[in-house]
Amino acid sequence: METVKYQGVFVKLTEEEIEGATWERVYLKSGVQVFPMTDDGKFYLIEERRPHEKNPIRLKFVTGLMDKEGEDPLDTANRELQEEIGFKADKLEIINHRHATGTINNHFYQVLATGLTKSKIPNPDGEDTIVSIKAYSIDEIYELLDSGKLPWSMGALGIIKIQRMHLKKSKLIKTKN
């Protein structure tokens, strides 16, 4: 039987004895990462204050956690867009869903957001957490990745997937090559 050892706001840690071994599991709140794309094929990134991290200000895509179990990831994506960058999307498309099971457990959705219109709602993390909001071309994003200013992480994989999905069929995202 799984026993809860710690229950926080964002993390739950359990232990379970299976075949004579103790297995630990971490349950994280499910979340989204949103790629807000402008009509001319650029992507909004934010600089955000993260005082609990090694680098207290980081460049990132819009992200957020689902407020309640079973919340629609597209609803979460649109809410996070409005809280963090002051836009909502007319079209949202899940481009990747990772369901992690085992030691780390959660759902993580990557969402492409297009048809952006201004719509700001209060950010529960505080309005002063967002340092800047800027739209970047795909080439600029690759430069940020290469320089280390934007980490090679799930966000980089999302950009690559979007580029592969849309470059050939719509030419929305322009590259130098």
Side-chain angles (χ1 to χ4, degrees), residues 22-41:
T22 301
W23 293 89
E24 298 172 337
R25 292 188 187 97
V26 175
Y27 293 88
L28 304 173
K29 285 184 88 169
S30 294
V32 298
Q33 182 173 48
V34 188
F35 301 90
M37 188 168 76
T38 65
D39 291 340
D40 63 350

Side-chain angles (χ1 to χ4, degrees), residues 8-49:
V9 175
F10 305 111
V11 177
K12 176 173 78 171
L13 172 66
T14 67
E15 285 184 351
E16 184 174 12
E17 294 291 326
I18 302 173
E19 298 177 2
T22 301
W23 293 89
E24 298 172 337
R25 292 188 187 97
V26 175
Y27 293 88
L28 304 173
K29 285 184 88 169
S30 294
V32 298
Q33 182 173 48
V34 188
F35 301 90
M37 188 168 76
T38 65
D39 291 340
D40 63 350
K42 292 183 176 184
F43 295 89
Y44 282 109
L45 294 173
I46 60 175
E47 275 188 305
E48 183 178 49
R49 290 185 208 290

Side-chain angles (χ1 to χ4, degrees), residues 80-98:
E80 291 296 334
L81 282 170
Q82 293 174 83
E83 289 173 358
E84 292 186 5
I85 66 168
F87 287 97
K88 68 178 179 179
D90 292 332
K91 183 176 181 196
L92 295 159
E93 177 184 359
I94 294 174
I95 60 167
N96 189 30
H97 171 219
R98 183 192 74 214

Side-chain angles (χ1 to χ4, degrees), residues 41-96:
K42 292 183 176 184
F43 295 89
Y44 282 109
L45 294 173
I46 60 175
E47 275 188 305
E48 183 178 49
R49 290 185 208 290
R50 307 290 291 181
H52 63 290
E53 294 183 9
K54 182 179 177 182
N55 296 321
I57 295 179
R58 70 170 169 163
L59 187 62
K60 69 182 201 71
F61 293 97
V62 172
T63 57
L65 300 173
M66 295 179 182
D67 283 344
K68 55 187 177 269
E69 191 66 33
E71 182 177 16
D72 184 325
L74 299 179
D75 291 342
T76 303
N78 235 352
R79 184 187 72 245
E80 291 296 334
L81 282 170
Q82 293 174 83
E83 289 173 358
E84 292 186 5
I85 66 168
F87 287 97
K88 68 178 179 179
D90 292 332
K91 183 176 181 196
L92 295 159
E93 177 184 359
I94 294 174
I95 60 167
N96 189 30

Side-chain angles (χ1 to χ4, degrees), residues 13 15 24 29 37 58 69 73-74 93 118 122 127 140-141 150 152 154 159-160 165 174:
L13 172 66
E15 285 184 351
E24 298 172 337
K29 285 184 88 169
M37 188 168 76
R58 70 170 169 163
E69 191 66 33
L74 299 179
E93 177 184 359
K118 289 204 178 283
E127 297 302 330
E140 291 170 320
I141 290 173
L150 183 65
W152 282 94
M154 288 296 292
I159 282 293
I160 291 167
M165 287 170 46
K174 309 262 189 287

